[in-house]
């Protein structure tokens, strides 16, 4: 896979995750006064990093040859295409007496940050395609 294709794929996946993050955060904000409601967050980047690290380890690490599917395999790369965003409930904190752990101000700030991140990702995607257009004109 060439670097352009990989870049566009990663940008598209991150835009999808950012959109999901926006929905989850908006849901948190909408339920900020509901008793016993627990806020959710979206985890994606840490698992994506693990996949990239596994690709690097597979290239540079120790390799074992296996002759059976039941043999233990090491340094098998974890394909980043298999990484999916996960919604995670925050059960560890309780910000209010009614058991709700949503701080409306924090969630509103998160929405602003998510909007800026989405705008940046769309600009990066546009930049990638502009670079291809420039290269094709030459």
């Amino acid at each position: 896979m060439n670097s352009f294709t990989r870049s566009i794929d990663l940008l598209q996946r991150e835009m999808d995750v950012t959109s999901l993050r926006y929905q989850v955060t908006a849901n948190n904000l909408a339920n900020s006064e509901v008793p016993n409601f627990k806020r959710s967050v979206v985890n994606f980047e840490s698992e994506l990093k693990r996949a990239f690290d596994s690709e690097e380890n597979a290239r540079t690490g120790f390799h074992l040859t296996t002759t059976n599917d039941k043999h233990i395999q090491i340094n098998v790369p974890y394909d980043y295409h298999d990484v999916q965003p996960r919604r995670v409930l925050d059960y560890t904190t309780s910000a209010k007496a009614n058991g709700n752990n949503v701080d409306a101000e924090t969630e509103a700030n998160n929405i602003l940050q998510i909007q800026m991140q989405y705008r940046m990702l769309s600009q990066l995607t546009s930049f990638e395609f502009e670079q291809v257009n420039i290269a094709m004109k030459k």
Side-chain angles (χ1 to χ4, degrees):
M1 179 182 296
N2 67 34
S3 64
F4 173 76
T5 305
R6 186 171 172 137
S7 294
I8 293 299
D9 182 47
L10 286 169
L11 285 167
Q12 178 264 321
R13 288 172 58 83
E14 187 61 33
M15 287 175 80
D16 289 345
V17 170
T18 303
S19 180
L20 174 63
R21 209 169 259 141
Y22 183 85
Q23 293 169 9
V24 167
T25 305
N27 185 58
N28 290 343
L29 189 56
N31 290 290
S32 63
E33 297 300 322
V34 174
N36 296 319
F37 180 84
K38 300 299 181 190
R39 71 184 295 270
S40 296
V41 294
V42 176
N43 287 345
F44 178 70
E45 289 79 8
S46 60
E47 196 66 20
L48 189 63
K49 181 185 181 322
R50 199 180 107 203
F52 288 147
D53 289 347
S54 77
E55 288 177 2
E56 182 64 27
N57 289 339
R59 278 194 296 267
T60 60
F62 183 72
H63 297 281
L64 291 179
T65 302
T66 58
T67 57
N68 188 311
D69 289 339
K70 295 180 181 177
H71 288 167
I72 296 173
Q73 298 181 2
I74 63 168
N75 290 333
V76 176
Y78 175 28
D79 187 3
Y80 79 91
H81 291 97
D82 295 334
V83 177
Q84 297 298 318
R86 291 182 311 144
R87 290 181 187 210
V88 180
L89 284 175
D90 179 5
Y91 284 109
T92 59
T93 61
S94 183
K96 300 175 187 167
N98 68 358
N100 186 311
N101 65 352
V102 177
D103 178 28
E105 185 176 332
T106 301
E107 298 300 326
N109 284 331
N110 288 344
I111 285 178
L112 290 174
Q113 181 180 3
I114 291 165
Q115 289 172 336
M116 288 188 294
Q117 182 176 3
Y118 193 88
R119 185 175 296 148
M120 181 200 63
L121 290 166
S122 65
Q123 289 173 348
L124 284 171
T125 303
S126 177
F127 175 77
E128 287 288 329
F129 281 105
E130 286 172 16
Q131 295 302 307
V132 170
N133 284 336
I134 290 170
M136 289 175 66
K137 288 179 182 178
K138 290 185 180 190

